[in-house]
Structures are given as structure tokens and as C-alpha cells.
Amino acid sequence: MDTKKPSSALAFLQSSSLPMLVQEEIERMIMTGELPVGSRLNESELSQRFNTSRGPIREALRALEEAGLLRTEKNRGMFVREITFEEADEIYELREALEEIIGRRVAQAITPDGIERLRGMTEAMREAAQAKELEQYAQLNLQFHDVLLDTAGSAKLTETYQRLIKELSLFRLRALAGGGLRVSADEHREIVDAIATRDPERAGQALRRHVADSRARMHKALGRGDAEAQQSVAHTSSPTKEA
């Protein structure tokens, strides 16, 4: 048997998984700010970076556009998408409802080991907040909510929620940078305490309240008053032109 030449099945697996790996890495670059909002993605540079042809790069970029992280400008290429304040505010409103559902499901499904895992994560978040490690805190925050999603056990809920979170990521970083790290860490500890009671109503309300407070921090970080924010939500049904 010739071990130097991969089988056709293995070659297919390698070629089909490459775009996904490229997509995950570009997404990480966007989430961490390595590719800032508004930056243009150059296929040639990316193919050199990942040591691959442009085919997997194009496929990965198309997937990220469908996920709401990139936008295409005719004759100019693809850019990291920037959502408007109005879009972000509407997403927060939707997320409040989703988080309440997640909290209810988690309170019913969580195990003792799961509660201890969440407590460990909130402790790590508290330490990151004290050290003012914004990016580390943001990553822990995402991981915390990923654990809640996994515990909730709904594929459709996970799909919908994750798309919203990806679109909100840059706004959330700005809100946390506006002085909300310590407060956010305390809120996550309160969420775990509510989940630990196994009371779906209490857990759901704790998560919904956390999102409402996050939304208020976003308003403050961007210099938007409550009245202005409410007016913005009222106009989200109108077409919004992206920058």
C-alpha cells in the first residue's frame, strides 16, 4: 500500500474541511479586532497567509457574508461589516427574549457538575475584570453563553442566537470597554445563582435582565440616551443603509 499518496476519500475530506478551517480563523480575527470593522479582505493576502489557493478563501468569505460578518461592495470587494446603532439595538431586544428561553431550559436541564463549571467560569471572568483584560473577558463571556446554549439543547435556538451574537460582537466590546466589566461579571454570578435554584422563571428573568443591562451599557458607551434609543427602535422597520 502506498502511504505517501492519500486516498481519494481522505483527499476529499481534507479539501472539504479546509474552507471551514479558514472560515473559523478569519472569524476569530474579526471577533478579536485583528480585522477591524470596515477593513477590506484581500483574497491574495489571505491565500498566502493560509498557504492555500483562492478557492477555499472565496468559499470561507461567502459563508462569513451569509453569517452577517462581511459585506460586498460592487467592484471593490468584501469588507468587515459594521452594523448601525439601530440594528444593534434591535438585536439586543430580540436577544432579551431568546435569553429568557435559554434560562428556562437551562434551569431544568443543568447538572451539579454543570453548575460548578459555570461558577468556575464566573470566577475567571471576575479575575479578568479586575485585571481589566477586555479581550480575555470577552472570550470568557462568549464561552459562558456557549455553555448555556449547549445545556439548553436546542439546535435552532443555538443557530439563531449565535448569528445575533456575532453581529453584536464589536458593539459589545465597546460597551464593556465603557466601564461595564465588573458589573457584567457580577451579573453572570447572579445568573448562575438563579440557575442553581432550578427555578425556570427566576433563571429566565436573570438572563433577560442581564441583556437589558448590557443594552443600557451599550447606549451609554455610544452616547445614546434612553429616549433616543427608543426612537431608534421605532424606526428599525425602515431600510437602513450600511456604511
Side-chain angles (χ1 to χ4, degrees), residues 14 52 70 84 115 151 160 177-178 195 202 205 215-216 238:
Q14 291 172 334
T52 186
L70 301 179
T84 64
I115 293 173
T151 306
T160 304
I195 289 172
R202 181 174 173 184
Q205 287 302 312
R215 185 183 185 187
S238 301

Side-chain angles (χ1 to χ4, degrees), residues 31 66-69 81 83 87-88 91 162-171:
M31 292 296 113
E66 291 177 1
L69 295 181
R81 182 172 172 242
I83 62 174
E87 288 176 295
I91 292 171
Q162 287 183 338
R163 179 180 177 112
L164 293 178
I165 288 301
K166 287 174 183 178
E167 292 182 340
L168 269 179
S169 59
L170 298 176
F171 270 87

Side-chain angles (χ1 to χ4, degrees), residues 58-70:
R58 290 194 188 101
E59 192 172 335
L61 295 183
R62 281 196 297 269
L64 289 169
E65 184 179 22
E66 291 177 1
L69 295 181
L70 301 179

Side-chain angles (χ1 to χ4, degrees), residues 129-154:
Q130 287 183 334
K132 297 182 179 180
E133 293 286 348
L134 177 58
E135 288 190 11
Q136 182 184 358
Y137 185 91
Q139 287 301 314
L140 288 167
N141 191 15
L142 290 173
Q143 292 169 17
F144 178 92
H145 288 279
D146 281 345
V147 171
L148 295 185
L149 275 175
D150 288 342
T151 306
S154 168

